[in-house]
Amino acid sequence: MIQHLNDLQEMETRYRANFVNSLSGFKSLSLIGTRSVQGNNNLSLVSSVIHLGSDPALCGFVIRPNIETENTLGNIVQTRVYTINHVQKSFYMQAHQCSAKYPPGVSEFDQTGLHPAFCNGIAAPFVAESSVRFACHLLEKIDIQWNKTYFLIGQIIYAMVDDAFVSPDGFIDLQKAATLTVSGLDGYHSTTHLARLSYAKVGKPVTRINSNLAD
Amino acid sequence: MIQHLNDLQEMETRYRANFVNSLSGFKSLSLIGTRSVQGNNNLSLVSSVIHLGSDPALCGFVIRPNIETENTLGNIVQTRVYTINHVQKSFYMQAHQCSAKYPPGVSEFDQTGLHPAFCNGIAAPFVAESSVRFACHLLEKIDIQWNKTYFLIGQIIYAMVDDAFVSPDGFIDLQKAATLTVSGLDGYHSTTHLARLSYAKVGKPVTRINSNLAD
């Protein structure tokens, strides 16, 4: 199917949400953990976490201010600290439930049975069930004027990953960790490793590189 | 393994690049197609395309100015139009080769054997081999001061997706389209559909929803 700008604008709202959410490709799948100054723990499911740079270690994600995210956004702005926890196959339905519109003050941990874990004096809760998790310090909240969302940039200040998933060169085997990926609004997928590829150079064919990670 | 901020800062550069690039989770995998005002076609491989909103239809991606991307970034700023083409299993090694540092004026299409396709009067080339592709009009180039990269925001103005991959509610079956996902700097993965899940509501258990897409 071919969709022109006019077609996109005239799509029924839910159809367009499904279609356009799918266009960007496979997405990361994370729970953002925060804690209010009053001590309430919150979780938000997000699919927009992206790598920004490794030196310094930075990542970003998009958040739309609404009832689902007001605790998360408010807590991040007030405390400047949050955790990012990969969602694995063993708890993805609980993670999905975190996107329901719970009223302020209600903790998604309590509602879904996921467990908060506190580490290293970091004020925000990690998800105990997650096998790849890290914490960020908020550096900047950028306004996206076009649809009144925000792009939050954080510096990674702490990471916890099971040794079994980390290869000698630093690559984390996310598939072994059972981290999932999401497509569209609600499509969940596991992954199958095809290959790691050699650093691309002009005039030199790409090859599969040795890895203790391949199946 | 537990990594504190100091550990991250002291990691060997390549190790840190692998590790931090993996932390953000699975990533989208796309080739960005552009064309210079002189008529040279270029491709860049990116793993940071994210959904920003569906009304208007927006997406963003991060670009680091360097020799690999200078044509792409320059072309986008000058022409304000670019294509985003999902990378599928049938040509992912060619796509990876597009990340080599070709000199300005050399077309990655020529070097990799991928084919440019022009549609609907859009000035930038699509990748003929790709089964999910769309075009964007640049709305804004945001400076990311922390590491001198840019976040480019585009409005989706045109989309081409094979009907066979689009479900009645607009969801695109990216797995059926054989679109890949990437982890870390160089890990390529196909996907296995687990489920689409019902819209999450307070007090209502999440269920798998009917879909003609499940295996």
Side-chain angles (χ1 to χ4, degrees):
Chain A
M1 61 192 270
I2 290 177
Q3 299 291 312
H4 296 266
L5 180 57
N6 282 346
D7 303 326
L8 287 166
Q9 287 169 336
E10 287 169 11
M11 281 177 180
E12 182 273 322
T13 305
R14 194 75 188 166
Y15 186 96
R16 182 175 50 223
N18 282 320
F19 184 80
V20 178
N21 266 279
S22 302
L23 276 183
S24 59
F26 288 106
K27 304 188 252 197
S28 58
L29 181 63
S30 315
L31 285 166
I32 308 281
T34 61
R35 185 174 171 89
S36 70
V37 290
Q38 293 80 22
N40 294 320
N41 296 325
N42 265 278
L43 283 176
S44 273
L45 186 66
V46 305
S47 60
S48 60
V49 170
I50 51 171
H51 172 78
L52 288 182
S54 59
D55 186 17
L58 302 177
C59 71
F61 73 98
V62 177
I63 193 163
R64 178 182 298 271
N66 60 26
I67 187 173
E68 288 154 66
T69 61
E70 66 174 320
N71 290 326
T72 294
L73 186 57
N75 293 346
I76 291 175
V77 170
Q78 283 172 21
T79 67
R80 303 191 82 81
V81 64
Y82 51 102
T83 69
I84 298 182
N85 308 267
H86 286 199
V87 174
Q88 278 99 27
K89 197 170 174 180
S90 54
F91 62 95
Y92 79 102
M93 291 179 79
Q94 289 158 284
H96 186 79
Q97 183 63 32
C98 291
S99 57
K101 294 181 176 65
Y102 292 108
V106 172
S107 168
E108 289 81 3
F109 284 106
D110 298 337
Q111 296 299 314
T112 63
L114 294 170
H115 295 87
F118 290 91
C119 311
N120 196 44
I122 289 165
F126 291 86
V127 175
E129 285 78 1
S130 175
S131 58
V132 180
R133 36 194 173 149
F134 55 104
C136 290
H137 171 77
L138 179 68
L139 292 179
E140 189 176 6
K141 171 171 163 264
I142 293 176
D143 283 18
I144 297 186
Q145 61 176 297
W146 310 97
N147 63 355
K148 303 196 193 312
T149 56
Y150 300 107
F151 185 59
L152 302 187
I153 298 178
Q155 179 167 9
I156 300 170
I157 54 171
Y158 186 76
M160 275 188 295
V161 185
D162 190 318
D163 282 324
F165 306 143
V166 184
S167 92
D169 70 355
F171 179 88
I172 305 172
D173 188 340
L174 298 183
Q175 176 174 325
K176 203 169 177 184
T179 293
L180 299 184
T181 178
V182 65
S183 69
L185 283 164
D186 51 26
Y188 292 87
H189 310 258
S190 60
T191 60
T192 300
H193 181 76
L194 293 175
R196 291 184 67 190
L197 296 182
S198 60
Y199 191 79
K201 291 185 176 173
V202 172
K204 198 179 158 192
V206 167
T207 55
R208 291 156 193 259
I209 57 177
N210 278 341
S211 161
N212 60 355
L213 304 164
D215 302 301
Chain B
M1 60 192 270
I2 290 178
Q3 300 291 313
H4 297 266
L5 179 56
N6 283 346
D7 303 327
L8 288 165
Q9 288 170 334
E10 287 170 10
M11 281 176 178
E12 182 274 319
T13 305
R14 194 74 188 168
Y15 186 98
R16 182 175 52 226
N18 282 318
F19 185 80
V20 178
N21 265 280
S22 302
L23 276 183
S24 60
F26 287 106
K27 304 188 255 197
S28 59
L29 182 63
S30 315
L31 284 166
I32 308 282
T34 62
R35 186 173 170 89
S36 70
V37 290
Q38 293 81 22
N40 293 320
N41 297 325
N42 265 278
L43 283 177
S44 275
L45 185 66
V46 304
S47 60
S48 60
V49 169
I50 51 171
H51 172 79
L52 288 182
S54 60
D55 186 18
L58 302 178
C59 70
F61 73 99
V62 177
I63 193 163
R64 177 184 298 272
N66 59 27
I67 187 173
E68 288 154 65
T69 60
E70 67 174 319
N71 290 326
T72 295
L73 186 57
N75 293 346
I76 291 175
V77 170
Q78 284 174 19
T79 66
R80 303 191 81 82
V81 65
Y82 51 103
T83 69
I84 297 182
N85 308 267
H86 286 199
V87 173
Q88 278 99 25
K89 196 170 174 179
S90 54
F91 62 96
Y92 80 101
M93 291 180 80
Q94 289 158 285
H96 186 79
Q97 183 63 34
C98 291
S99 57
K101 295 180 175 64
Y102 292 109
V106 172
S107 169
E108 288 81 4
F109 284 106
D110 297 335
Q111 297 299 313
T112 63
L114 294 171
H115 294 88
F118 290 90
C119 310
N120 196 45
I122 288 165
F126 291 88
V127 175
E129 286 78 1
S130 175
S131 57
V132 180
R133 37 193 172 150
F134 55 104
C136 290
H137 171 78
L138 178 68
L139 292 179
E140 189 176 6
K141 171 171 161 267
I142 293 176
D143 283 16
I144 298 185
Q145 60 176 296
W146 310 96
N147 63 357
K148 302 195 191 314
T149 57
Y150 300 107
F151 186 59
L152 302 187
I153 298 178
Q155 178 166 10
I156 298 170
I157 54 172
Y158 186 76
M160 277 189 293
V161 185
D162 190 319
D163 281 325
F165 306 142
V166 183
S167 92
D169 70 356
F171 179 89
I172 305 172
D173 188 340
L174 299 183
Q175 177 173 327
K176 203 169 178 184
T179 292
L180 299 185
T181 177
V182 65
S183 68
L185 282 164
D186 51 26
Y188 291 87
H189 310 259
S190 60
T191 61
T192 300
H193 181 77
L194 293 176
R196 290 184 66 189
L197 297 181
S198 59
Y199 190 79
K201 290 185 176 172
V202 173
K204 200 179 158 194
V206 167
T207 56
R208 291 156 192 260
I209 57 177
N210 278 340
S211 160
N212 60 355
L213 303 165
D215 300 301

